Amino acid sequence: MKRIVVAIIGITILTLSSCQKQIETADYQVVPLPKEISLTDKKPFILDKNTVIECQKDLQKEADFLADYIEDIYGFRPRIMDAENDMNNVIYLALEPNDFANDEAYQIVVNERVIKITSRNNHGIFYGIQTLRKSFPVDNNVTKIAFPAGVINDWPRFAYRGMHLDVSRHFFPIDSIKVYIDAMVMHNLNKFHLHITDDQGWRIEIKKYPKLTEIGAWRSGTLIGKTMAYDTIRHGGCYTQEELRDLVKYAEDRHITIIPEIDLPGHMLAALASYPELGCTGGPYEVWKRWGVSEDVICAGNEHAMQFLEDVLLEVMDIFPSEYIHIGGDEVPRDRWKECPKCQAKIKELGIKADDKHSAEDYLQSYVMSRMEQFVENHGRHIIGWDEMLDGELAPNATVMSWRGSSGGVKAAKMHHNVIMTPNDYLYFDYYQTLDTDNEPFSIGGYNPVKKVYSYEPIPDGLDEDEHKYILGPQANIWTEYTSEFNVLLYRLLPRIGALAEVQWCNPEQKDYEDWVQREYRLTKLYKLYGWRYATHIFDIDVRITPNVKEGFIEVVMSKLVDGKIVYSIDNQNDIEYKEPLRITENCHLEGYVLRPDGSQGRVFRTDFDFSKASMKPIVLMEQPHKNYTFNGADVLIDGLRGSTNYRSGRWLGWYGKNADVIIDLQEVTEVSTVKFNLNINMKDWIFNARSVKVLVSDDGDDFEEVFAQDFDLLSADYTGSLYPVEITFSPVNTRYIEIVITPFDCPECHSGYGYPAWIFVDEIGVY
Ligand code: ACM
Ligand code: ZN
């Protein structure tokens, strides 16, 4: 019997080799890359309509997933059967008490007759299945898939592989969250941090406090972009306990634990709007329509408020079986507690004293966190809190989530506390992933490109070897102030989660960015299959533009990482294949893109070069910009490149509380009558228009004469533009030196920065 089957397979392979279309080969070079892959040149396993999945009873659920994955791509679904002795054309799943590194480790052995996935636990089997499904060629014309013979041994580097989602700033339906979980599954993640309450919306049904969702789940409007204006669209939503239990099961079936976060004692305006008596002032409060940090927090001196938090946590623990409950603790201003008689009485009662490091109110926060920790521990769970927990006395058993960079993680690990690394500068996926922000979904700002995510090393410098064990693993976060649509959420997630997956799963010596890009590119076929929107920057043309001010040209270097050729055009003339760097010396419009082997085009890069009489001329800054916004210095203003709406792109200089005051040497006496530049406007980030602009001229660079001066009104709070173009003209004058002085406002009374200076951001200064 056995021999006959082998013979039939042999014939099948022969037949297929003359019918190339129907057979394709699987590729185990997946994301995240398995630890060990050793292939032999023995005959491959052929998966086809007759393949069956055999498994032990305990692995039925995992087998179902595998069958689903095969059906999703190829349209046929393998039968699932109990394991038999004589196996042929079988994918076999088995728990074995072998020498695996941990419960998530697995082995895949492929030979001509069987693909065998083993682990000591269902978790490992599941990850073996993930690796196998990602090795499939994604092509529904294929009816047979050849799996090269060999052995894969694999296990994760970190036990905690997290992804976070904020459903407070914007509400996402349960079905969308399930898709988000599916994306986590595809990248071998195992912890889902659900940020389920915040100032802008309370999203979890709490039976004892129904107003939390009746009132707290809804806000009457939302801040528009980076302005000070609001829409009047009611936004909100909440999840019933039943829905959340279903979500917990959905995740659990996929080997993911949901860690809920009730952010306390700050970020609680939605709760305060529902129950104003829980706040220090008693309100009234409203569910917040804007972003940032509210001074209104839970009253730490009110025993009812503490009871409220415990009641909420009790219901939360009943819904979410997770070992960890996140209790927040970030961004808690002390203003209200300082003024509140109850809070001050509590400080006295507890005998809290300020010291040279911390205020009494800092220790009051520690009291709240420790008390909540004790409550959670009494119920057999542990807490996670943000790294602000270190600003005072750290709750005894807390796991610290290091978000303000990595230093909190280092400090906590040195105190022998467990740590989860979520540094904003590498792992906040709400930040932009490109500097070309004008063509991106609007974002909170920042810049975390995929390559930077990939480069992240979760064990921070400064820890001794024996302290490494406290770093449980890394997690990326998506806050949703500026993400209301689910496809934008996916776009922020993908493909950065593919980079995160290798940070979490692979050893550092395994990581190779360019190799990963190839593997990730293949994975996007699965993204497409499931209809998930993803960002394509890393598969598209990359353009590096470097002004050479000394020699008076701009160098343009184009590159790409995936197959295809680079094509560019100047002023929309003919497409030219890119061979070597371009030198730009005059105004033009440049476009470029990757033309893929299948004829499809990547994203088109576009830019304008905008030269003026000031371009590439010596320039002196009379006032230094802020060190964070100096970039390449003064040349940024005369390099022929205009800034986008993103003031962090490197094409803007930013001054804080000072004039932007520059002198340009036109190098010969030149007639000038116009000066043009843009100001970046981002009122939320304290960036406004100019109070005044002056132009002065000089023949010797010492004595300047004013030729233009104008005062401007502050832009109104409902100005929604990100750029404010300034064009000034004056009677033509012949001059060698020209000085431009741009004076900022102070933050206005209606603004959170009232009493402080505002920023001024200037890009290319054109002189005509
Ligand atoms: C945070 O980003 N506020 C934890
Ligand atoms: Zn109080």
Side-chain angles (χ1 to χ4, degrees), residues 164 169 193 195 198 261 263 267 293 326 328-331 386-388 401-404 422 424 428 430-431 477 479 481:
H164 150 290
R169 274 53 179 268
H193 171 176
H195 183 85
D198 213 304
E261 179 188 355
D263 201 349
H267 288 285
V293 176
H326 201 310
D330 60 324
E331 300 176 323
W386 298 108
D387 62 33
E388 281 90 338
M401 201 166 252
S402 183
W403 74 276
R404 296 175 298 180
T422 68
N424 57 344
Y428 270 30
D430 48 334
Y431 291 5
N477 296 342
W479 304 97
E481 286 92 335

Side-chain angles (χ1 to χ4, degrees), residues 103 114 207 264 303 321 364 460 557 652:
D103 279 355
V114 64
K207 301 224 189 253
L264 61 87
E303 188 52 32
L364 187 61
V557 177
W652 295 86

